[in-house]
Amino acid sequence: MVFDCGVWCAKYLLCIFNFIFFVLGTIIFGVGLWLAVDKHSLIALLKLVESERIEQFTQPQAIEQLAYVLLVIGAVMFFMSFLGYLGAMRESRCLLSTYGTFLILLLIAEIVAGGLGAFFKEKVRAESKNFLQTTITSYSLGENVDATSLMWNQLMGNFGCCGINDYHDFDDSPAWVNGKGNRTIPDACCILKDVAKLVPRDEDCTTNPSDSNSFYKKGCYEVFTEWLIRQRELVIVAIAVGIVHLVLIILAFALCKAFAKYNDMRL
């Protein structure tokens, strides 16, 4: 079908956007599937790299959890971009309208979530703390460290904090309580001389924490919240994502209207 320049540009711009997301979604889904089926090959590969930071992520349980996250993200990206790309290439109003509707629903969900977060700040604050508390209950040490424990270690080590409110939060973790021995706080709560290896500057820090050798009274929730507020780049990224989202919606429905117009002209 022959279109004018504007429709032609809109069609192939939508194709390019969705082709990029399609390829990314396929790669993410493929990596997730690989990790879910054969996680041990990744562990062997990572162990060839001499890095303490990388070695922390070679735990089978952590890799398995990462695989499921990648599978979900990849599947959503694959499905959405497939609808948009095929709809534009096949000039299908049905596929394009379905694609545009999904994007609108996603945009509405984002706006509603942002609005609720703005109007119910204290409620969101309390619920987010409760959610974090559920994650810290699985905090563990040793060889069977899961992705959640690795996340907490990285967060505390890099931001200089301990737990959600303070070190007492770890008392809710049975694995920590049963395996900590004579420790009072995890290594990551100490002032570290090597952040990658989580090596405390003071060897007595984990058993006798104080304000001079640890961050045991400094909760990560407040520290991380303050850090987010200072990150202007995140605001720019969020605005850019919103603009791309709106452009895709406009392109999808504009093409639906254009295809309908040209079909009527042919009749």
Side-chain angles (χ1 to χ4, degrees):
M1 188 181 297
V2 179
F3 301 113
D4 60 37
C5 182
V7 176
W8 187 89
C9 290
K11 173 182 175 179
Y12 285 100
L13 185 60
L14 188 63
C15 286
I16 292 171
F17 268 123
N18 282 284
F19 181 75
I20 293 172
F21 287 121
F22 178 82
V23 172
L24 290 175
T26 303
I27 293 173
I28 292 172
F29 186 84
V31 172
L33 187 62
W34 169 49
L35 295 181
V37 174
D38 187 20
K39 64 177 78 70
H40 297 291
S41 61
L42 177 65
I43 294 174
L45 182 64
L46 291 177
K47 285 184 177 179
L48 296 176
V49 182
E50 297 181 359
S51 172
E52 292 291 337
R53 185 179 290 273
I54 291 179
E55 285 179 6
Q56 297 177 57
F57 297 94
T58 58
Q59 304 298 333
Q61 189 175 357
I63 294 175
E64 184 176 356
Q65 292 170 343
L66 175 62
Y68 293 137
V69 172
L70 293 178
L71 283 172
V72 172
I73 294 174
V76 172
M77 290 180 65
F78 180 92
F79 174 72
M80 291 293 295
S81 58
F82 180 78
L83 278 179
Y85 181 81
L86 190 63
M89 288 300 294
R90 300 286 296 178
E91 299 170 7
S92 170
R93 285 177 290 165
C94 179
L95 290 177
L96 284 174
S97 59
T98 303
Y99 170 74
T101 302
F102 275 126
L103 286 179
I104 289 175
L105 292 175
L106 181 60
L107 183 61
I108 291 173
E110 293 170 356
I111 294 173
V112 169
L116 291 176
F119 284 108
F120 301 101
K121 288 183 181 180
E122 294 304 319
K123 181 68 175 177
V124 171
R125 185 185 183 90
E127 290 299 326
S128 59
K129 279 192 173 184
N130 289 336
F131 170 74
L132 290 173
Q133 193 64 51
T134 62
T135 66
I136 211 169
T137 55
S138 62
Y139 184 84
S140 59
L141 300 170
E143 297 182 354
N144 296 320
V145 177
D146 60 8
T148 305
S149 301
L150 290 174
M151 180 274 292
W152 274 109
N153 285 337
Q154 291 300 309
L155 179 65
M156 295 186 296
N158 285 283
F159 284 88
C161 55
C162 188
I164 301 167
N165 300 302
D166 56 31
Y167 71 103
H168 289 297
D169 294 319
F170 292 100
D171 294 337
D172 294 328
S173 171
W176 162 254
V177 173
N178 295 329
K180 68 177 183 178
N182 62 344
R183 299 184 184 188
T184 302
I185 60 174
D187 293 342
C189 289
C190 296
I191 296 176
L192 304 173
K193 66 178 179 181
D194 191 328
V195 176
K197 299 178 182 179
L198 299 179
V199 178
R201 189 174 63 186
D202 184 352
E203 295 181 356
D204 296 327
C205 169
T206 56
T207 55
N208 295 300
S210 65
D211 292 332
S212 61
N213 64 10
S214 71
F215 305 101
Y216 76 122
K217 292 182 180 179
K218 191 176 182 180
C220 290
Y221 187 87
E222 297 296 337
V223 173
F224 189 66
T225 301
E226 292 174 1
W227 178 83
L228 281 177
I229 294 173
R230 294 195 301 268
Q231 302 309 301
R232 296 181 180 178
E233 295 83 359
L234 294 177
V235 177
I236 296 173
V237 170
I239 293 173
V241 170
I243 292 173
V244 171
H245 200 146
L246 284 173
V247 168
L248 292 177
I249 293 173
I250 293 170
L251 288 177
F253 286 107
L255 285 175
C256 280
K257 185 176 180 179
F259 294 157
K261 175 184 175 181
Y262 279 95
N263 283 332
D264 291 340
M265 290 174 62
R266 291 175 63 186
L267 298 175

